[in-house]
């Protein structure tokens, strides 16, 4: 993709944007992406996102559209739906959500009434903004109540969760996370939800690819009513969302996505989702997913050896959270900036019951999907852990940081980014 007639044309029409594009590509090649929600899309995805499907309006669903000319769009959406159902063992799939946030909004608004109570994970313990953060619109429309992790183990406290459920009688129990480094048994949530008559929803946005590859548990196997996932994180697809549910909720979910919440689906994205689902069903993707988990374990172990304090002590999935205050006396914003200076991209992160504010929290979050996509393995995880620990201990020393940046560069130059 470094030179093509299309790129030459872009350079001529809008050189400002072309220069920024080249800058971003160079940044992605030179730096090491360790943000656990990010990845490098399959090259096929980049092709389809820039394809003719972007020109097409397809409001409605296959066979029931508001516009003509749907022969090929119906074909790709049907393929995407069938592939999603097969891959996740789901009764029904909606592939139109424009991203993760509207995907979750569509579920809440489709299955509940405004004011209904939803039980979801506390944000500082690993939940997501779309699980009812007070700053989100959903947080104003629905009555969100919270469960947390047990401070002594870092695992979800199911006793306390059951107490909150009994006291508040939620209509929906939501599990799923964006910064919880452990796995859990979905049947534990089901039991609580069944006891109080609530529906169950698992938002597996971070680990959708790992569930697709069957290397992490699938909540639908535990009888969950709804599962949502983004397609652009561990799955390497386009930015987008999937809603998978039991057949009995299919009509409500589809009507909630369109016309309830969205207009025309992005058919270039739907095409890319279809291809992603095909690629995610391949043995090569299962190997990739296994390596994502093995790399996370290796990275956690190598950080532990260097006395770096991890929230819950380690990881069962693709992500880990470093308590930078305890480990290095640095807040997460300073740690993020220091790692940025040596070419490692991470994000500052609140830790459970963080005494510090979100813009200056007590930790950073990192994950292995992106480096694993570049082909990195155990030896590289050791080197990354060493660079992280030495950078955060260097106290901003410029000479030390220059040497550490060179080590990052050595690493990234050996592992090209697919598709760039
Ligand atoms: C990323 C994420 C989302 C939202 O996805 P966007 O595409 O950023 O809107 C929702 N839920 C969880 C758990 C996530 O990690």
């Amino acid at each position: 993709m470094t030179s093509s007639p299309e790129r030459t044309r872009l350079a001529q029409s809008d050189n400002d944007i072309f220069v920024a594009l080249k800058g971003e590509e160079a940044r992605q090649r030179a730096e090491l992406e360790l943000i656990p929600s990010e990845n490098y899309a399959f090259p096929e995805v980049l092709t389809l996102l820039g394809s003719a499907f972007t020109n097409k309006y397809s409001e409605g669903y296959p066979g029931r559209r508001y516009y003509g000319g749907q022969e090929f769009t119906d074909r790709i959406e049907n393929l995407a739906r069938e592939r999603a159902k097969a891959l996740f063992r789901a009764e029904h799939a909606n592939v139109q959500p424009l991203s993760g946030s509207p995907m979750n909004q569509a579920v809440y608004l489709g299955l509940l009434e405004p004011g209904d109570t939803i039980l979801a994970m506390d944000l500082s313990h690993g939940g997501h903004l779309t699980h009812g953060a007070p700053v989100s619109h959903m947080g104003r429309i629905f009555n969100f109540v919270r469960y947390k992790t047990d401070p002594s183990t870092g695992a979800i406290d199911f006793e306390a969760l059951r107490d909150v459920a009994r006291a508040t009688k939620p209509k929906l129990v939501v599990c799923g996370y964006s910064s919880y480094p452990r796995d859990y048994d979905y049947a534990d949530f089901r039991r609580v939800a069944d006891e109080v008559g609530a529906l169950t929803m698992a938002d597996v946005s971070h680990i959708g690819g790992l569930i697709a590859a069957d290397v992490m548990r699938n909540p639908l196997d535990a009888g969950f009513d709804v599962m949502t996932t983004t397609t652009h994180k561990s799955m390497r697809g386009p930015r987008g969302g999937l809603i998978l549910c039991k057949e009995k909720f299919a009509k409500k979910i589809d009507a909630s996505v369109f016309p309830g919440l969205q207009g025309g689906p992005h058919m270039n994205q739907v095409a890319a989702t279809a291809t992603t689902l095909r690629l995610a069903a391949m043995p090569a993707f299962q190997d990739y997913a296994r390596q994502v988990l093995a790399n996370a374990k290796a990275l956690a172990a190598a950080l532990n050896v260097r006395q770096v304090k991890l929230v819950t002590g380690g990881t069962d999935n693709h992500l880990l959270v470093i308590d930078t205050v305890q480990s290095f006396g640095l807040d997460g914003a300073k740690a993020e900036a220091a790692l940025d200076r040596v070419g490692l991209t991470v994000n500052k992160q609140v830790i459970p019951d963080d005494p510090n504010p979100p813009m200056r929290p007590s930790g950073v979050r990192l994950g292995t999907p992106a480096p694993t996509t570049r082909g990195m393995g155990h030896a590289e995880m050791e080197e990354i852990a060493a660079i992280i620990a030495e950078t955060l201990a260097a106290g901003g020393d410029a000479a030390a940081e220059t040497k550490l940046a060179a080590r990052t560069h050595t690493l990234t130059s050996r592992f090209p980014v697919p598709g760039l």
Side-chain angles (χ1 to χ4, degrees):
M1 279 273 262
T2 37
S3 79
S4 66
E6 291 80 8
R7 287 173 71 97
T8 307
R9 188 188 181 93
L10 173 63
Q12 283 162 0
S13 318
D14 190 348
N15 197 50
D16 292 338
I17 295 298
F18 182 63
V19 168
L21 171 64
K22 284 202 301 188
E24 176 64 14
E25 288 169 345
R27 186 193 71 78
Q28 291 190 13
R29 279 192 286 261
E31 293 180 4
L32 189 58
E33 186 55 69
L34 292 173
I35 295 173
S37 49
E38 292 191 21
N39 210 334
Y40 308 104
F42 287 114
E44 293 88 339
V45 166
L46 299 181
T47 304
L48 286 166
L49 285 176
S51 71
F53 283 118
T54 200
N55 298 334
K56 189 69 196 116
Y57 246 111
S58 303
E59 283 181 0
Y61 289 99
R64 296 178 285 127
R65 305 276 195 193
Y66 290 77
Y67 296 80
Q70 307 288 352
E71 179 183 354
F72 301 103
T73 44
D74 275 7
R75 195 181 296 173
I76 60 172
E77 186 166 350
N78 279 327
L79 278 169
R81 296 204 291 197
E82 290 310 316
R83 288 174 182 174
K85 281 167 25 182
L87 191 60
F88 291 105
R89 298 183 285 279
E91 291 175 14
H92 180 74
N94 187 304
V95 300
Q96 294 192 2
L98 303 177
S99 206
S101 301
M103 146 193 105
N104 287 344
Q105 289 167 14
V107 176
Y108 302 149
L109 294 163
L111 301 185
L112 306 173
E113 293 300 324
D116 278 354
T117 297
I118 303 176
L119 175 57
M121 194 179 201
D122 187 273
L123 250 61
S124 80
H125 289 242
H128 188 260
L129 268 177
T130 57
H131 300 175
V135 294
S136 75
H137 293 315
M138 293 303 115
R140 296 191 314 183
I141 295 176
F142 296 100
N143 173 37
F144 280 88
V145 292
R146 302 279 164 213
Y147 59 87
K148 293 189 172 193
T149 55
D150 176 344
S152 62
T153 61
I156 286 173
D157 185 344
F158 279 97
E159 294 280 307
L161 188 154
R162 177 174 296 110
D163 291 344
V164 183
R166 283 177 179 160
T168 59
K169 296 269 181 290
K171 291 268 171 58
L172 178 70
V173 173
V174 177
C175 66
Y177 48 77
S178 52
S179 62
Y180 180 66
R182 296 294 174 185
D183 196 12
Y184 33 59
D185 188 345
Y186 292 94
D188 289 334
F189 288 97
R190 253 304 293 282
R191 267 191 291 279
V192 175
D194 286 351
E195 187 188 319
V196 299
L199 300 175
T200 43
M201 162 179 165
D203 172 2
V204 299
S205 283
H206 261 253
I207 56 171
L210 305 176
I211 292 172
D214 265 331
V215 302
M216 287 191 74
R217 295 187 186 112
N218 182 336
L220 296 176
D221 293 343
F224 263 54
D225 296 304
V226 181
M227 176 167 95
T228 61
T229 181
T230 62
T231 44
H232 49 282
K233 297 181 183 175
S234 52
M235 230 185 315
R236 299 188 61 198
R239 305 196 81 89
L242 294 177
I243 303 174
L244 303 137
C245 65
K246 289 186 177 161
E247 187 60 40
K248 62 180 169 187
F249 301 114
K251 273 211 172 79
K252 278 186 172 171
I253 290 292
D254 285 354
S256 183
V257 173
F258 176 86
L261 188 67
Q262 297 183 171
H266 298 175
M267 296 315 289
N268 56 333
Q269 169 197 334
V270 170
T273 298
T275 297
T276 299
L277 291 163
R278 180 176 167 84
L279 294 172
M282 304 278 184
F285 191 79
Q286 281 153 11
D287 294 342
Y288 163 72
R290 262 190 290 276
Q291 193 62 47
V292 167
L293 294 184
N295 281 348
K297 284 242 187 297
L299 186 58
L303 287 167
N304 277 330
V305 164
R306 290 173 173 79
Q307 314 302 324
V308 177
K309 178 108 180 45
L310 300 176
V311 172
T312 79
T315 179
D316 291 332
N317 54 29
H318 65 299
L319 72 87
L320 27 132
V321 180
I322 300 178
D323 184 331
T324 54
V325 171
Q326 266 206 51
S327 311
F328 300 98
L330 274 183
D331 70 51
K334 290 209 176 89
E336 178 191 292
L339 293 170
D340 238 338
R341 290 194 297 272
V342 304
L344 298 182
T345 310
V346 305
N347 69 280
K348 54 183 168 294
Q349 177 66 46
V350 290
I351 63 170
D353 296 320
D354 204 324
N356 295 317
M359 291 309 284
R360 205 173 45 75
S362 302
V364 294
R365 184 183 69 150
L366 42 151
T368 52
T372 308
T373 297
R374 289 177 89 142
M376 294 183 185
H378 200 114
E380 289 73 36
M381 296 305 121
E382 297 268 346
E383 172 66 352
I384 294 167
I387 299 174
I388 291 172
E390 290 173 39
T391 302
L392 297 182
D397 180 83
E401 286 183 356
T402 306
K403 285 196 189 124
L404 289 157
R407 280 166 64 182
T408 302
H409 192 71
T410 305
L411 212 52
T412 53
S413 59
R414 286 172 44 221
F415 294 91
V417 175
L420 290 194

